[in-house]
Amino acid sequence: MPNILEVKNLVKNYGDFQAVKGVSFEIAEGEIFSLLGPNGAGKTTTISMLSTLYTPTSGDATIGGHSISKDPMGVRNIIGVVPQDLALYEDLTAKENLIFWGQMYGLSGKSLASRVDEVLGQIGLTDKAKDRVKTYSGGMKRRVNIGVGLLHKPRLLFMDEPTVGIDPQSRRAILDTVKDLNKQGMTVLYTTHYMEEAEELSDRVGIIDHGQLIAIGTQKELTKQVGETETLILHISENDDPEALAKAFRDIKEVLEANVVNTEISVITPSAKDVLAAVVTKANERGIKIHSIDIREPNLEAVFLHLTGRALRD
Amino acid sequence: MLKTFIIGIKDLRLAFRDRAALIFMLAAPFALTLGLGLVTGRFSGNSSGISDIPVIIVNLDKKELGNALEDLFSSQDLAELVEPVSGSSPEAARQSVDEDKSAAAIIIPEGFTNSIIPSQADFANGNEPEAIQIEVYANPSRPTSAGIIKSIVDEFISRVEEGQVSAQTSILQMILSGRITPEQAEQAGIEMGQRLQNSPNVDTLAIKLNSTTADGEAVQFDILAYLAPGMALMFLMYTVSHGGRSILAEKAQGTLPRMLVTPTNSMQILGGKVFGIFLTGAAQMLILIGATTLLFQLKWGDGFGVVMLVFAAVFAATGWGMLITALARTTAQVANVGSAIMLIFGILGGSFISLEQMPLAVQTFSKITPNAWALDGFTTLGLGGTLADLFAPITALLTMGIILFLTSVVLFGKKNLVQK
Ligand SMILES: Nc1ncnc2c1ncn2[C@@H]1O[C@H](COP(=O)(O)OP(=O)(O)O)[C@@H](O)[C@H]1O
Ligand SMILES: [Mg+2]
């Protein structure tokens, strides 16, 4: 498959602050590509440049052969954008919103009417189409927000953290919609800070941190970077000192890394069962009670931890 | 072009779905018009909001009709409305108007009564008396007051003329039938003239100032015809700043950036927002005009003139809305500055106190407000004027609008719709 998107050395400065520091990657037509990174990593800034909202400080990208800086109109015709924050008219109904945004994409008449009905079906809001958006739940609003991006059947759809702050059912529905759209041939650039979403959806993942792409590839390729490791996750009480315990863990021979996130300590090791006894002993020596221990196969979380020494979640 | 239109219609729809906005756009001006109308007695029919209009009367006629007109101005009915003084020299009277000491001078020439009620000698000779006209020398910087004076005089003349026709025919009939001699005829005519002046209709002058337009259609000047446009124009300034605010609000709520990633350029979007403000303002004005016409029987005057004046006024006001928005950083700033300008322009533009009662400097400064020009135009229309009489206000409003638009476009260009 040819590349629908090619990004070359994209840089964005906000005044003195460099939010995106020379990012390069490609997306092949038909792929779901995820940008995975914590808050503030530069995901939204990257998408804003690719969708021609912001002009890059330097670098360029082409979408379907159109340069984002030299031919923004050409780009806008083939992309759909689902912004991170809801961008809807709350005093209009879902249907009125879709009609308005469809018109902004140049649709009119019968084709507009039939697309609006199709999209309403796709986002499961046919019954509520005539209610004002402000009466909707957060999940329903998110779905309208997505629907707006689909009206003109874009070849490449940007979805910027479309599941933030909603209930599990709505999240499930949205992830299924993304997969459906992709099956119908739409290429998707999806950003998230949830490892599980990236794992479930993506053909390939780019891990972004502090404005830099620190790893890119299929999930297999990425987890290989961590080596054949496993991760132990220990939950301890709030009152105990996790930092001190993590430090003690690092003295164990088979432990590669030990990191703290709130009351969780994650321990990366080639073999979980070999360090289990030592870990429990160290905790007992300090009088720290372990509430639970999870053992995880290598995943993107571990990759991120491995590459940055920090957890994905904030 | 099409997208500009679509964005404008969308904003019109949104404005009419915003309850808070509707209160300011429609309910508040309507309620204030009603309230001030009650206070000034429009609905009980006693006095008008404008009072003590200074007027000089130079009565060179000194006969029955001239005296009757002079008496009319010092009558109880007009006591609150006008403040008449007698003058002896037409030149001095005109000068007093030129110096803005009076709203108008009424000069009743010698022989006015005779020109209407022929004397015995004229009857005998069969001479047609030559027509002699009363001069109303109006103060252009006090269009409302001068208009009211003029309409009182017009009303008087039209009554006298109607009366003249009937008086002459009845006198002629009496002579022919031999009931009176030509000598008695003059006396009879004068009596009839006086009776006309004392007819009950004249008593209502203070409430409904009837005047006659060029094409003979009767119109009334009603204090509400001053209050209602004043209030509508003041709250038009709310609507335009609210509309301007929506540009920044759309930026904050993400719909403006979203429009910018559709195949729509920023000029179409800005144009659409401006068009939306214009449409909303025009709809507001026309609804208020319609409602006061239906509910208060208010006569706004020539329909075509009213619509054109509304468009010109909304255009200029929209320019102000854009300028405020282009200068402000946040929606709160637009709202605050917008409310302040609404009040300042409302006062400066004469929505509360007739401009004529303000110092000359304020009157001059008021010309920067769309309110003053438009109110001037609505007064002209209320007094029976047509589009042809609105050249000055409409030209001023359109010029104001164009200057404000150009300035805001430059400012918006510098600021950029979204940060780049
Ligand atoms: N308009 C802006 N002005 C200045 N700094 C910004 C602006 N937008 C984002 N940033 C900063 O740029 C960095 C990247 O932000 P963003 O692209 O929103 O990250 P993400 O979407 O991955 O959470 C953050 O540190 C953020 O604070
Ligand atoms: Mg973001």
Side-chain angles (χ1 to χ4, degrees), chain A residues 14 17 19 38-45 54 84 161, chain B residues 419:
Chain A
Y14 294 120
F17 176 70
N39 279 329
K43 303 183 293 295
T44 300
T45 305
Y54 295 172
Q84 174 170 358
E161 307 214 35
Chain B
Q419 125 237 68

Side-chain angles (χ1 to χ4, degrees), chain B residues 233 236 240 277-285 309-320 370 397 405:
Chain B
L233 288 164
L236 172 63
V240 297
I277 301 174
F278 179 84
L279 277 182
T280 311
Q284 172 197 23
M285 293 296 288
L309 184 59
V310 164
F311 285 168
V314 175
F315 179 73
T318 304
W320 278 105
L397 288 166
F405 274 110

Side-chain angles (χ1 to χ4, degrees), chain B residues 325-366:
Chain B
T325 311
L327 290 172
R329 284 166 179 276
T330 63
T331 53
Q333 277 178 3
V334 180
N336 293 339
V337 175
S339 313
I341 287 206
M342 173 177 112
L343 275 176
I344 294 169
F345 278 17
I347 293 165
L348 276 183
S351 293
F352 295 102
I353 315 158
S354 172
L355 266 181
E356 294 161 10
Q357 295 171 15
M358 297 194 202
L360 203 63
V362 177
Q363 289 187 31
T364 311
F365 189 60
S366 77

Side-chain angles (χ1 to χ4, degrees), chain A residues 4 29 36 54 61 83-84 98 132 148 161-162 169 176 201 213 222 231 255 265-266 271 274 287:
Chain A
I4 188 167
E29 187 118 41
L36 175 67
Y54 295 172
Q84 174 170 358
L98 292 177
R132 293 199 193 171
V148 168
E161 307 214 35
Q169 277 145 297
D176 290 343
L201 293 174
L213 260 185
L222 290 175
T231 307
V255 169
I265 304 170
S266 48
S271 166
D274 291 351

